[in-house]
Amino acid sequence: MKQRRIRGFLVGSMVTAILATSWTGYPRGALAAEKFRIGFAVALTGIFGKAGAMVRDAYQVWARKVNGEGGILVRGNRYPVELVFYDDQSTPSTSAKLVEKLITDDRVDLLLGGYGSSQVFAASAVAEKYRYPMISGGASSNKLFERGFRYYFSTLGKATEEVKGCVDIVQAMKPRPLTAAIVGADILFTSLACEGYRKYAPPNGLRVIHYELFPLSLTDYNSMLIKVKHKAPDVLLVGSHLMVAIKTMKALKEIDFSPRLVAFSYGPTVPDFVKQLGRDAEYAVAASEWTPNLPYRGPVFGTAGEFNKLYTDLYGRAPDYVEAAASAAAVVQQIALQNLGITPPVRDRDRVGLMEELYRMDVETFYGRVRFGQDGANVAHPPVAIQIQDGRRVTVFPAEVAEAPPRLPFKPWKER
């Protein structure tokens, strides 16, 4: 029975891979004999299925753009891109197995990262074992960068640093808030986001009067937040994924709790946040590393605004910063290939050279500047904060890149 389940799973995964290859829109008969085959495992089902699908979409928009121009230009010739991907079902062990399959069975030339710190943590260990550079735009937990790995890179900053803008935004509030409550789901990324909140609260004059990590499976958000309400913090900072952010906002309304600032590490940047909450999404603040109005420009996609338009035209929705970071990961890998003149099939020594080139690079892209530190994290990309205003994600902090000033304090539920 066990063997049957595994066989069925692999058959389902292969169907996914075939669909991915067909999706690029590049006619099969027109594919050149030489092409770059790039693999990734990503959550398309399970708890991170929606967010993982966004990462897949981000890679596909890059592949479509590159193949629309005939492929990656190397030494005067163009080489099309074929994406080979599998659904890791939001499970770290499955992600690791699928990345090994991509390397040993599918023999892909290169890899890209999936979504979710736990999944990428497991998958990147396999990539390190086989010396395949893996650039991720969908995972940012600090532990990813603390293993001494040489082949793992991220276009995102570290989770503890991503939330800095969500705390620094209190500098724009009058009178300045004095107390903060920090809550978050007790999983890798969100717990580290809470550590980041705790790190940046004191420099902003905030005293943390409540700190709580809860199980991701928590169903009774009302009781958890009623404890916080009784302490009456000025600010509520939440370590969140999309689901946690939506449940928190619903619970805040149900218990009529309106701190002066409500900020999330992730969630409000995803279109489903506004889609599911409607007007109740207003005033929510969130960490971000990219928005379409930022003055960034680079090869492949042009400006941040041009990337946003292309993406919106293709999918009917604007990309959030994780999608931008994932597309940027593919762009950076492309530039490294071009710098080194690597052509398919990519050999083992090419991948070693690619890893070394990634550490040397310092490039401007539509996503902003990318420069990897010795631990593989992007050390050149500043975090920003967005707020839901009139149903839109608006950049509100820092002031020098803001589209509009933040609407604070958080409007009480009974006055909306």
Side-chain angles (χ1 to χ4, degrees):
M1 178 64 76
K2 184 178 179 182
Q3 287 181 338
R4 187 181 306 166
R5 282 201 301 270
I6 293 173
R7 190 161 52 244
F9 163 70
L10 290 177
V11 168
S13 298
M14 284 303 294
V15 170
T16 303
I18 292 168
L19 287 174
T21 302
S22 302
W23 179 89
T24 60
Y26 207 96
R28 277 182 172 273
L31 279 175
E34 294 180 317
K35 58 188 175 184
F36 288 108
R37 301 183 74 240
I38 301 177
F40 60 95
V42 69
L44 299 176
T45 57
I47 192 169
F48 300 128
K50 283 191 174 181
M54 291 161 58
V55 169
R56 176 205 56 194
D57 292 348
Y59 294 150
Q60 287 181 331
V61 77
W62 168 74
R64 175 182 284 251
K65 184 74 166 64
V66 169
N67 286 343
E69 297 169 354
I72 295 176
L73 180 62
V74 182
R75 297 178 179 174
N77 295 313
R78 290 193 176 274
Y79 300 89
V81 169
E82 178 188 0
L83 298 179
V84 183
F85 63 92
Y86 297 105
D87 175 12
D88 70 20
Q89 303 172 328
S90 303
T91 306
S93 59
T94 301
S95 189
K97 290 175 184 174
L98 290 173
V99 167
E100 184 142 25
K101 172 176 167 49
L102 286 163
I103 294 171
T104 61
D105 292 350
D106 299 314
R107 298 186 179 279
V108 295
D109 293 299
L110 300 162
L111 291 174
L112 288 167
Y115 178 84
S117 292
S118 298
Q119 287 71 29
V120 174
F121 193 91
S124 58
V126 178
E128 185 77 13
K129 172 185 172 184
Y130 288 96
R131 298 184 178 183
Y132 267 63
M134 174 183 279
I135 311 177
S136 170
S140 58
S141 294
N142 296 45
K143 290 184 178 178
L144 288 162
F145 311 106
E146 297 170 350
R147 299 173 291 176
F149 281 10
R150 297 294 294 160
Y151 288 81
Y152 179 70
F153 303 87
S154 173
T155 46
L156 295 173
K158 297 177 184 176
T160 50
E161 310 306 312
E162 282 182 342
V163 298
K164 184 174 185 296
C166 284
V167 189
D168 287 349
I169 198 172
V170 302
Q171 298 167 15
M173 298 177 68
K174 295 181 180 178
R176 288 277 287 270
L178 299 176
T179 58
I182 299 171
V183 300
D186 192 11
I187 58 175
L188 197 54
F189 166 69
T190 49
S191 61
L192 283 166
C194 290
E195 284 297 315
Y197 290 138
R198 186 153 60 180
K199 173 183 176 181
Y200 290 110
N204 282 289
L206 292 172
R207 181 167 59 91
V208 178
I209 59 173
H210 185 90
Y211 189 94
E212 180 175 354
L213 298 180
F214 53 81
L216 185 61
S217 59
L218 179 72
T219 57
D220 186 3
Y221 277 58
N222 287 21
S223 295
M224 183 269 293
L225 288 168
I226 283 173
K227 287 187 295 181
V228 180
K229 181 180 179 181
H230 286 162
K231 295 182 180 179
D234 294 327
V235 171
L236 176 64
L237 304 170
V238 186
S240 55
H241 284 294
L242 173 63
M243 178 194 68
V244 172
I246 291 173
K247 288 183 176 179
T248 298
M249 289 294 282
K250 288 181 176 178
L252 290 175
K253 182 179 182 182
E254 288 176 8
I255 66 173
D256 190 26
F257 179 27
S258 307
R260 294 177 58 206
L261 167 68
V262 178
F264 298 91
S265 61
Y266 191 65
T269 59
V270 181
D272 265 19
F273 185 80
V274 173
K275 187 177 179 181
Q276 292 197 33
L277 292 174
R279 294 291 299 173
D280 289 344
E282 296 292 307
Y283 297 94
V285 169
S288 182
E289 293 211 23
W290 178 88
T291 57
N293 71 298
L294 292 172
Y296 299 148
R297 176 190 295 273
V300 183
F301 289 112
T303 67
E306 288 167 341
F307 173 78
N308 181 67
K309 183 179 186 308
L310 177 68
Y311 212 98
T312 304
D313 289 347
L314 184 60
Y315 296 119
R317 59 178 171 77
D320 90 335
Y321 77 92
V322 168
E323 292 167 286
S327 290
V331 169
V332 170
Q333 184 162 258
Q334 174 186 344
I335 295 171
L337 287 173
Q338 293 172 317
N339 288 350
L340 297 174
I342 294 174
T343 58
V346 178
R347 298 160 296 184
D348 289 345
R349 66 171 180 268
D350 293 331
R351 283 184 282 272
V352 174
L354 189 68
M355 174 272 290
E356 294 170 344
E357 175 66 8
L358 289 170
Y359 283 111
R360 288 191 292 266
M361 290 172 59
D362 187 348
V363 297
E364 296 286 343
T365 73
F366 78 94
Y367 172 74
R369 189 176 167 199
V370 177
R371 179 167 62 85
F372 299 116
Q374 286 304 302
D375 58 5
N378 186 359
V379 296
H381 204 262
V384 299
I386 64 99
Q387 185 179 41
I388 305 300
Q389 296 184 359
D390 302 322
R392 293 179 55 244
R393 295 167 288 174
V394 177
T395 311
V396 295
F397 193 85
E400 55 268 29
V401 297
E403 296 173 82
R407 293 177 181 175
L408 296 171
F410 188 86
K411 195 167 187 177
W413 295 103
K414 291 181 178 178
E415 297 177 15
R416 297 191 181 201

